[in-house]
Amino acid sequence: MSAALGLKAKPVTTEPADDDSDISALINRLTAEVNQIAVDKTKSIQQITNQMKMLALNALIESSRAGAQGAGFAVVAQEVRGVGQQVETIARELETQLTKRTGDLVASIERMSQRSRGERMMDLSLNAIELIDRNLYERTCDVRWWATDSAVVDCAASPAPAAVSYASQRLGVILGAYTVYLDLWLCDLDGNVIANGRADRFPVVGQNVAHTKWFREAKTLRSGDDYVAGDVENQPLLGNAQVATYCASVRAGGQANGAPIGVLAIHFDWEPQARAIVQGVRVGDSDKARVLLVDSNFRVIAASDGQGILSERISLSLNGQRSGFYQDRSGAMIAFHATPGYETYRGLGWYGVIVCAA
Protein backbone atom coordinates (compact mmCIF):
# COMPACT_ATOMS: atom_id res chain seq x y z
CA MET A 1 0.00 0.00 0.00
CA SER A 2 1.28 3.46 -0.86
CA ALA A 3 2.03 6.00 1.84
CA ALA A 4 1.46 8.87 -0.53
CA LEU A 5 -1.75 10.10 -2.11
CA GLY A 6 -2.56 6.65 -3.42
CA LEU A 7 -3.07 5.32 -6.92
CA LYS A 8 -3.26 7.98 -9.56
CA ALA A 9 -6.10 8.14 -12.04
CA LYS A 10 -5.19 8.80 -15.63
CA PRO A 11 -5.24 12.59 -15.85
CA VAL A 12 -7.64 14.29 -18.20
CA THR A 13 -5.64 15.99 -20.94
CA THR A 14 -6.65 19.58 -21.51
CA GLU A 15 -4.63 20.40 -24.64
CA PRO A 16 -7.23 19.24 -27.21
CA ALA A 17 -9.91 21.23 -25.40
CA ASP A 18 -7.64 24.30 -25.47
CA ASP A 19 -7.10 23.77 -29.20
CA ASP A 20 -10.85 23.55 -29.73
CA SER A 21 -11.30 26.72 -27.74
CA ASP A 22 -8.62 28.52 -29.78
CA ILE A 23 -10.20 27.39 -33.07
CA SER A 24 -13.65 28.46 -31.90
CA ALA A 25 -12.29 31.85 -30.88
CA LEU A 26 -10.56 32.24 -34.25
CA ILE A 27 -13.69 31.33 -36.21
CA ASN A 28 -15.74 33.63 -34.00
CA ARG A 29 -13.34 36.51 -34.65
CA LEU A 30 -13.17 35.90 -38.40
CA THR A 31 -16.97 35.68 -38.61
CA ALA A 32 -17.29 38.97 -36.76
CA GLU A 33 -14.77 40.54 -39.17
CA VAL A 34 -16.66 39.24 -42.22
CA ASN A 35 -19.88 40.60 -40.76
CA GLN A 36 -18.29 44.00 -40.21
CA ILE A 37 -16.84 44.05 -43.73
CA ALA A 38 -20.24 43.18 -45.18
CA VAL A 39 -21.91 45.96 -43.20
CA ASP A 40 -19.25 48.48 -44.19
CA LYS A 41 -19.38 47.57 -47.89
CA THR A 42 -23.17 47.61 -48.11
CA LYS A 43 -23.15 51.04 -46.47
CA SER A 44 -20.67 52.18 -49.14
CA ILE A 45 -22.97 50.84 -51.84
CA GLN A 46 -25.88 52.67 -50.27
CA GLN A 47 -23.90 55.91 -50.23
CA ILE A 48 -23.05 55.50 -53.94
CA THR A 49 -26.65 54.71 -54.86
CA ASN A 50 -27.79 57.76 -52.92
CA GLN A 51 -25.37 59.83 -54.98
CA MET A 52 -26.72 58.21 -58.18
CA LYS A 53 -30.27 59.01 -57.13
CA MET A 54 -29.29 62.59 -56.35
CA LEU A 55 -27.57 62.95 -59.74
CA ALA A 56 -30.61 61.44 -61.43
CA LEU A 57 -32.89 63.88 -59.61
CA ASN A 58 -30.72 66.84 -60.64
CA ALA A 59 -30.70 65.54 -64.23
CA LEU A 60 -34.50 65.35 -64.23
CA ILE A 61 -34.74 68.90 -62.96
CA GLU A 62 -32.35 70.16 -65.64
CA SER A 63 -34.10 68.19 -68.37
CA SER A 64 -37.44 69.71 -67.43
CA ARG A 65 -35.90 73.14 -67.73
CA ALA A 66 -34.56 72.27 -71.17
CA GLY A 67 -38.07 71.55 -72.41
CA ALA A 68 -38.54 69.33 -75.47
CA GLN A 69 -34.79 69.13 -76.08
CA GLY A 70 -34.28 67.52 -72.63
CA ALA A 71 -37.02 64.91 -72.95
CA GLY A 72 -34.68 62.13 -74.07
CA PHE A 73 -32.23 62.97 -71.35
CA ALA A 74 -35.09 62.78 -68.82
CA VAL A 75 -35.77 59.18 -69.82
CA VAL A 76 -32.12 58.26 -69.22
CA ALA A 77 -32.11 60.07 -65.87
CA GLN A 78 -35.26 58.21 -64.82
CA GLU A 79 -33.66 54.87 -65.73
CA VAL A 80 -30.53 55.76 -63.75
CA ARG A 81 -32.74 56.63 -60.81
CA GLY A 82 -34.52 53.28 -61.09
CA VAL A 83 -31.24 51.36 -61.27
CA GLY A 84 -29.99 53.18 -58.20
CA GLN A 85 -33.17 52.24 -56.34
CA GLN A 86 -32.71 48.57 -57.29
CA VAL A 87 -29.06 48.58 -56.21
CA GLU A 88 -30.06 50.14 -52.88
CA THR A 89 -32.72 47.45 -52.34
CA ILE A 90 -30.23 44.68 -53.16
CA ALA A 91 -27.66 46.21 -50.80
CA ARG A 92 -30.18 46.35 -47.96
CA GLU A 93 -31.25 42.77 -48.54
CA LEU A 94 -27.59 41.70 -48.68
CA GLU A 95 -26.85 43.45 -45.40
CA THR A 96 -29.90 41.93 -43.70
CA GLN A 97 -29.16 38.40 -44.92
CA LEU A 98 -25.43 38.56 -44.20
CA THR A 99 -26.01 39.97 -40.74
CA LYS A 100 -28.54 37.25 -39.96
CA ARG A 101 -26.32 34.47 -41.32
CA THR A 102 -23.19 35.66 -39.53
CA GLY A 103 -25.22 36.21 -36.37
CA ASP A 104 -26.52 32.65 -36.56
CA LEU A 105 -22.98 31.40 -37.16
CA VAL A 106 -21.61 33.32 -34.16
CA ALA A 107 -24.40 31.98 -31.95
CA SER A 108 -23.77 28.43 -33.19
CA ILE A 109 -20.04 28.72 -32.54
CA GLU A 110 -20.74 30.09 -29.07
CA ARG A 111 -23.01 27.12 -28.30
CA MET A 112 -20.37 24.70 -29.58
CA SER A 113 -17.70 26.44 -27.50
CA GLN A 114 -19.88 26.29 -24.38
CA ARG A 115 -20.63 22.63 -24.97
CA SER A 116 -16.95 21.84 -25.45
CA ARG A 117 -16.09 23.74 -22.29
CA GLY A 118 -18.88 22.04 -20.33
CA GLU A 119 -17.79 18.57 -21.42
CA ARG A 120 -14.19 19.38 -20.50
CA MET A 121 -15.24 20.56 -17.03
CA MET A 122 -17.37 17.44 -16.60
CA ASP A 123 -14.37 15.26 -17.47
CA LEU A 124 -12.21 17.17 -15.00
CA SER A 125 -14.90 16.67 -12.33
CA LEU A 126 -14.69 12.94 -12.97
CA ASN A 127 -10.91 13.10 -12.80
CA ALA A 128 -11.07 14.71 -9.35
CA ILE A 129 -13.58 12.26 -7.88
CA GLU A 130 -11.73 9.30 -9.41
CA LEU A 131 -8.49 10.38 -7.77
CA ILE A 132 -10.08 10.54 -4.33
CA ASP A 133 -11.90 7.24 -4.91
CA ARG A 134 -8.68 5.44 -5.74
CA ASN A 135 -7.01 7.06 -2.77
CA LEU A 136 -9.76 5.96 -0.40
CA TYR A 137 -9.84 2.46 -1.84
CA GLU A 138 -6.31 2.07 -0.44
CA ARG A 139 -7.56 3.22 2.95
CA THR A 140 -10.11 0.40 2.99
CA CYS A 141 -7.32 -2.05 2.18
CA ASP A 142 -5.08 -0.61 4.90
CA VAL A 143 -7.60 -0.90 7.72
CA ARG A 144 -8.52 -4.50 6.90
CA TRP A 145 -4.87 -5.46 6.65
CA TRP A 146 -3.76 -3.79 9.89
CA ALA A 147 -6.72 -5.26 11.81
CA THR A 148 -5.04 -8.64 11.35
CA ASP A 149 -1.67 -7.51 12.75
CA SER A 150 -0.71 -9.84 15.59
CA ALA A 151 0.05 -6.96 17.97
CA VAL A 152 -3.40 -5.49 17.35
CA VAL A 153 -5.17 -8.84 17.66
CA ASP A 154 -3.33 -9.79 20.88
CA CYS A 155 -4.05 -6.40 22.47
CA ALA A 156 -7.75 -6.56 21.58
CA ALA A 157 -7.95 -10.09 23.02
CA SER A 158 -6.15 -9.19 26.25
CA PRO A 159 -5.41 -5.49 26.79
CA ALA A 160 -2.74 -5.95 29.46
CA PRO A 161 -0.24 -3.05 29.84
CA ALA A 162 2.51 -4.87 27.97
CA ALA A 163 0.16 -5.75 25.10
CA VAL A 164 -1.14 -2.18 24.97
CA SER A 165 2.39 -0.80 24.88
CA TYR A 166 3.44 -3.12 22.11
CA ALA A 167 0.29 -2.45 20.06
CA SER A 168 0.80 1.31 20.43
CA GLN A 169 4.41 0.92 19.35
CA ARG A 170 3.36 -1.12 16.34
CA LEU A 171 0.69 1.43 15.36
CA GLY A 172 3.31 4.17 15.67
CA VAL A 173 5.63 2.32 13.29
CA ILE A 174 2.80 2.12 10.76
CA LEU A 175 2.12 5.84 11.10
CA GLY A 176 5.79 6.56 10.48
CA ALA A 177 5.52 4.91 7.08
CA TYR A 178 1.99 5.99 6.15
CA THR A 179 1.99 9.76 6.40
CA VAL A 180 -1.60 10.24 5.23
CA TYR A 181 -3.02 9.30 8.64
CA LEU A 182 -3.39 11.42 11.76
CA ASP A 183 -3.79 8.50 14.15
CA LEU A 184 -4.80 4.84 14.45
CA TRP A 185 -7.06 3.74 17.30
CA LEU A 186 -7.70 0.28 18.68
CA CYS A 187 -11.02 0.11 20.50
CA ASP A 188 -12.68 -2.60 22.53
CA LEU A 189 -16.23 -3.68 21.79
CA ASP A 190 -17.60 -1.13 24.27
CA GLY A 191 -16.05 1.73 22.32
CA ASN A 192 -13.15 2.44 24.68
CA VAL A 193 -9.88 3.41 23.00
CA ILE A 194 -7.28 1.02 24.42
CA ALA A 195 -4.27 1.88 22.22
CA ASN A 196 -3.26 4.46 19.63
CA GLY A 197 -0.22 5.21 17.52
CA ARG A 198 0.42 8.83 18.57
CA ALA A 199 -0.19 8.78 22.29
CA ASP A 200 2.29 11.63 22.79
CA ARG A 201 0.30 13.89 20.51
CA PHE A 202 -3.23 12.60 21.01
CA PRO A 203 -3.87 11.22 24.55
CA VAL A 204 -7.06 9.39 23.57
CA VAL A 205 -6.59 6.12 25.46
CA GLY A 206 -9.55 5.74 27.83
CA GLN A 207 -11.85 7.87 25.70
CA ASN A 208 -15.14 6.30 24.66
CA VAL A 209 -16.30 6.54 21.03
CA ALA A 210 -19.31 4.23 21.24
CA HIS A 211 -21.61 7.12 20.25
CA THR A 212 -19.96 7.69 16.88
CA LYS A 213 -21.63 6.50 13.70
CA TRP A 214 -18.51 4.78 12.39
CA PHE A 215 -18.05 2.73 15.57
CA ARG A 216 -21.70 1.67 15.70
CA GLU A 217 -21.49 0.54 12.07
CA ALA A 218 -18.17 -1.23 12.67
CA LYS A 219 -19.73 -3.36 15.42
CA THR A 220 -22.20 -4.76 12.90
CA LEU A 221 -19.61 -5.85 10.31
CA ARG A 222 -20.08 -9.49 9.38
CA SER A 223 -16.47 -10.45 8.73
CA GLY A 224 -12.90 -9.23 8.63
CA ASP A 225 -13.29 -8.68 4.90
CA ASP A 226 -15.81 -5.88 5.46
CA TYR A 227 -15.13 -2.27 6.37
CA VAL A 228 -16.77 1.01 7.31
CA ALA A 229 -16.07 4.23 5.40
CA GLY A 230 -17.09 7.19 7.54
CA ASP A 231 -18.13 10.66 6.40
CA VAL A 232 -15.64 13.49 6.54
CA GLU A 233 -15.91 15.23 9.90
CA ASN A 234 -14.08 17.37 12.40
CA GLN A 235 -12.72 15.05 15.09
CA PRO A 236 -12.50 16.78 18.51
CA LEU A 237 -10.12 14.13 19.91
CA LEU A 238 -7.67 14.93 17.10
CA GLY A 239 -7.56 18.68 17.57
CA ASN A 240 -10.77 19.14 15.56
CA ALA A 241 -8.91 18.12 12.41
CA GLN A 242 -10.84 17.11 9.29
CA VAL A 243 -10.68 13.33 9.02
CA ALA A 244 -12.25 10.49 7.09
CA THR A 245 -12.42 7.50 9.43
CA TYR A 246 -12.19 3.91 8.19
CA CYS A 247 -12.89 0.92 10.40
CA ALA A 248 -12.56 -2.84 10.36
CA SER A 249 -13.38 -5.39 13.02
CA VAL A 250 -10.49 -7.05 14.85
CA ARG A 251 -11.25 -10.76 15.05
CA ALA A 252 -9.99 -13.67 17.10
CA GLY A 253 -6.82 -15.16 15.66
CA GLY A 254 -6.75 -12.49 12.96
CA GLN A 255 -9.13 -14.67 10.94
CA ALA A 256 -11.77 -13.11 8.71
CA ASN A 257 -14.44 -15.40 10.16
CA GLY A 258 -13.21 -15.20 13.75
CA ALA A 259 -15.29 -13.79 16.60
CA PRO A 260 -15.13 -9.96 16.82
CA ILE A 261 -12.93 -8.78 19.71
CA GLY A 262 -12.40 -5.12 18.87
CA VAL A 263 -12.48 -2.35 16.26
CA LEU A 264 -9.56 -0.71 14.50
CA ALA A 265 -10.24 2.89 13.39
CA ILE A 266 -7.82 4.71 11.12
CA HIS A 267 -8.16 8.48 10.67
CA PHE A 268 -7.24 9.69 7.21
CA ASP A 269 -5.80 13.22 7.30
CA TRP A 270 -8.44 14.55 4.94
CA GLU A 271 -7.82 18.26 4.45
CA PRO A 272 -4.28 18.32 2.96
CA GLN A 273 -4.89 15.23 0.83
CA ALA A 274 -8.20 16.48 -0.59
CA ARG A 275 -6.80 19.98 -1.09
CA ALA A 276 -3.94 18.58 -3.19
CA ILE A 277 -6.47 16.90 -5.45
CA VAL A 278 -8.88 19.81 -6.03
CA GLN A 279 -6.07 22.32 -6.45
CA GLY A 280 -4.34 19.98 -8.88
CA VAL A 281 -7.25 19.92 -11.34
CA ARG A 282 -6.02 21.48 -14.57
CA VAL A 283 -8.38 24.39 -15.06
CA GLY A 284 -7.12 27.63 -16.56
CA ASP A 285 -7.17 31.11 -15.06
CA SER A 286 -9.67 32.18 -17.71
CA ASP A 287 -12.10 29.51 -16.49
CA LYS A 288 -12.51 31.33 -13.15
CA ALA A 289 -13.25 27.89 -11.75
CA ARG A 290 -13.88 26.65 -8.23
CA VAL A 291 -13.22 22.92 -7.93
CA LEU A 292 -15.19 21.05 -5.26
CA LEU A 293 -15.79 17.65 -3.79
CA VAL A 294 -19.23 17.34 -2.21
CA ASP A 295 -20.80 14.51 -0.25
CA SER A 296 -24.15 12.83 -0.90
CA ASN A 297 -25.92 15.72 0.84
CA PHE A 298 -24.09 18.25 -1.38
CA ARG A 299 -22.03 19.43 1.58
CA VAL A 300 -18.67 20.82 0.49
CA ILE A 301 -15.91 18.52 1.76
CA ALA A 302 -13.06 19.98 -0.32
CA ALA A 303 -12.66 23.26 -2.22
CA SER A 304 -9.84 24.64 -4.32
CA ASP A 305 -10.33 28.05 -2.70
CA GLY A 306 -10.39 26.54 0.80
CA GLN A 307 -13.79 28.08 1.56
CA GLY A 308 -16.94 26.52 3.01
CA ILE A 309 -15.44 23.14 3.88
CA LEU A 310 -17.87 21.09 6.01
CA SER A 311 -20.15 24.13 6.39
CA GLU A 312 -21.38 25.04 2.89
CA ARG A 313 -24.00 23.18 0.91
CA ILE A 314 -24.36 23.77 -2.80
CA SER A 315 -27.42 23.38 -5.00
CA LEU A 316 -26.96 20.84 -7.79
CA SER A 317 -29.54 20.33 -10.53
CA LEU A 318 -28.88 16.69 -11.37
CA ASN A 319 -32.09 15.98 -13.29
CA GLY A 320 -31.60 12.30 -12.63
CA GLN A 321 -28.15 12.27 -14.24
CA ARG A 322 -24.85 11.09 -12.77
CA SER A 323 -22.91 13.60 -14.81
CA GLY A 324 -23.60 16.74 -16.78
CA PHE A 325 -23.26 20.50 -16.96
CA TYR A 326 -25.60 23.47 -17.07
CA GLN A 327 -25.81 27.22 -16.45
CA ASP A 328 -27.45 28.47 -13.28
CA ARG A 329 -29.48 31.65 -12.95
CA SER A 330 -26.37 33.77 -12.44
CA GLY A 331 -24.90 32.51 -15.70
CA ALA A 332 -22.26 30.39 -13.98
CA MET A 333 -21.46 27.02 -15.54
CA ILE A 334 -21.84 24.04 -13.20
CA ALA A 335 -20.22 20.73 -14.20
CA PHE A 336 -20.53 17.59 -12.06
CA HIS A 337 -19.79 13.88 -12.00
CA ALA A 338 -20.85 11.26 -9.47
CA THR A 339 -18.35 8.92 -7.84
CA PRO A 340 -17.80 5.81 -9.95
CA GLY A 341 -16.12 3.96 -7.07
CA TYR A 342 -12.99 1.89 -7.50
CA GLU A 343 -12.51 -1.86 -7.15
CA THR A 344 -14.25 -2.94 -3.91
CA TYR A 345 -14.75 0.67 -2.80
CA ARG A 346 -18.20 1.65 -4.02
CA GLY A 347 -17.93 5.25 -2.97
CA LEU A 348 -20.25 7.21 -0.70
CA GLY A 349 -22.38 9.02 -3.25
CA TRP A 350 -19.94 11.92 -3.56
CA TYR A 351 -19.58 14.25 -6.55
CA GLY A 352 -16.78 16.11 -8.22
CA VAL A 353 -18.07 19.61 -9.06
CA ILE A 354 -16.60 22.55 -10.95
CA VAL A 355 -18.22 25.98 -10.79
CA CYS A 356 -17.10 28.45 -13.48
CA ALA A 357 -18.12 32.02 -12.70
CA ALA A 358 -20.03 33.91 -15.39
Side-chain angles (χ1 to χ4, degrees):
M1 304 300 169
S2 172
L5 266 178
L7 294 173
K8 293 185 178 179
K10 183 178 180 181
V12 172
T13 304
T14 59
E15 283 78 8
D18 292 341
D19 290 344
D20 290 345
S21 177
D22 291 343
I23 293 172
S24 296
L26 175 61
I27 295 174
N28 214 341
R29 179 172 61 80
L30 292 176
T31 303
E33 290 176 359
V34 169
N35 184 65
Q36 188 59 49
I37 290 171
V39 170
D40 291 344
K41 295 305 180 184
T42 51
K43 284 183 178 178
S44 296
I45 293 172
Q46 288 172 352
Q47 289 175 353
I48 293 171
T49 54
N50 285 336
Q51 291 175 352
M52 289 176 61
K53 288 162 64 178
M54 186 60 66
L55 289 172
L57 178 61
N58 290 335
L60 284 172
I61 293 172
E62 293 301 324
S63 67
S64 65
R65 288 177 179 175
Q69 292 82 2
F73 187 65
V75 173
V76 174
Q78 190 66 43
E79 288 296 323
V80 171
R81 185 178 184 182
V83 170
Q85 185 65 47
Q86 290 177 2
V87 172
E88 181 181 23
T89 300
I90 292 171
R92 286 177 178 172
E93 290 176 350
L94 178 64
E95 180 182 12
T96 300
Q97 292 179 9
L98 279 175
T99 302
K100 182 179 185 304
R101 296 294 190 277
T102 54
D104 291 344
L105 182 57
V106 169
S108 177
I109 292 169
E110 179 63 24
R111 288 193 297 271
M112 290 171 59
S113 178
Q114 285 294 95
R115 181 180 180 84
S116 175
R117 184 186 185 207
E119 289 176 345
R120 171 172 169 261
M121 292 301 164
M122 185 175 67
D123 287 342
L124 290 173
S125 298
L126 171 61
N127 194 227
I129 197 66
E130 275 191 324
L131 279 172
I132 201 64
D133 274 353
R134 295 184 181 209
N135 192 314
L136 298 181
Y137 162 71
E138 288 199 357
R139 311 300 57 98
T140 69
C141 295
D142 290 345
V143 71
R144 287 177 287 177
W145 174 27
W146 297 334
T148 66
D149 187 281
S150 60
V152 171
V153 173
D154 291 345
C155 184
S158 180
V164 168
S165 177
Y166 182 57
S168 296
Q169 179 185 356
R170 174 60 181 157
L171 294 176
V173 169
I174 293 173
L175 287 171
Y178 288 76
T179 58
V180 297
Y181 295 104
L182 274 177
D183 205 2
L184 312 180
W185 297 351
L186 176 59
C187 310
D188 63 22
L189 293 179
D190 293 322
N192 299 305
V193 180
I194 58 177
N196 71 311
R198 289 196 172 120
D200 56 336
R201 183 176 171 187
F202 304 115
V204 297
V205 171
Q207 296 287 339
N208 187 277
V209 294
H211 63 284
T212 62
K213 181 182 177 183
W214 48 262
F215 181 83
R216 294 197 306 270
E217 291 180 354
K219 283 192 66 175
T220 66
L221 293 174
R222 296 183 177 182
S223 78
D225 295 327
D226 299 322
Y227 63 87
V228 168
D231 291 323
V232 179
E233 63 179 0
N234 292 112
Q235 175 51 254
L237 296 178
L238 295 174
N240 219 36
Q242 297 170 17
V243 297
T245 300
Y246 289 77
C247 301
S249 56
V250 181
R251 295 183 174 260
Q255 299 299 312
N257 57 355
I261 56 176
V263 169
L264 180 65
I266 64 176
H267 301 288
F268 181 62
D269 192 4
W270 172 259
E271 193 278 332
Q273 315 303 328
R275 172 165 36 86
I277 287 175
V278 293
Q279 290 185 350
V281 173
R282 297 170 62 186
V283 292
D285 293 338
S286 61
D287 291 316
K288 296 184 288 187
R290 185 185 186 209
V291 183
L292 307 171
L293 296 176
V294 302
D295 64 15
S296 58
N297 294 315
F298 304 153
R299 179 186 61 154
V300 174
I301 54 178
S304 58
D305 60 0
Q307 302 299 310
I309 301 174
L310 303 188
S311 61
E312 178 185 357
R313 275 185 167 78
I314 66 170
S315 176
L316 273 185
S317 297
L318 302 179
N319 293 323
Q321 298 179 317
R322 291 181 56 79
S323 62
F325 60 90
Y326 61 92
Q327 282 189 313
D328 66 9
R329 292 181 179 178
S330 71
M333 174 181 285
I334 315 294
F336 63 90
H337 205 295
T339 170
Y342 184 73
E343 297 290 347
T344 58
Y345 179 71
R346 296 183 299 276
L348 299 175
W350 294 356
Y351 290 84
V353 178
I354 299 181
V355 180
C356 298

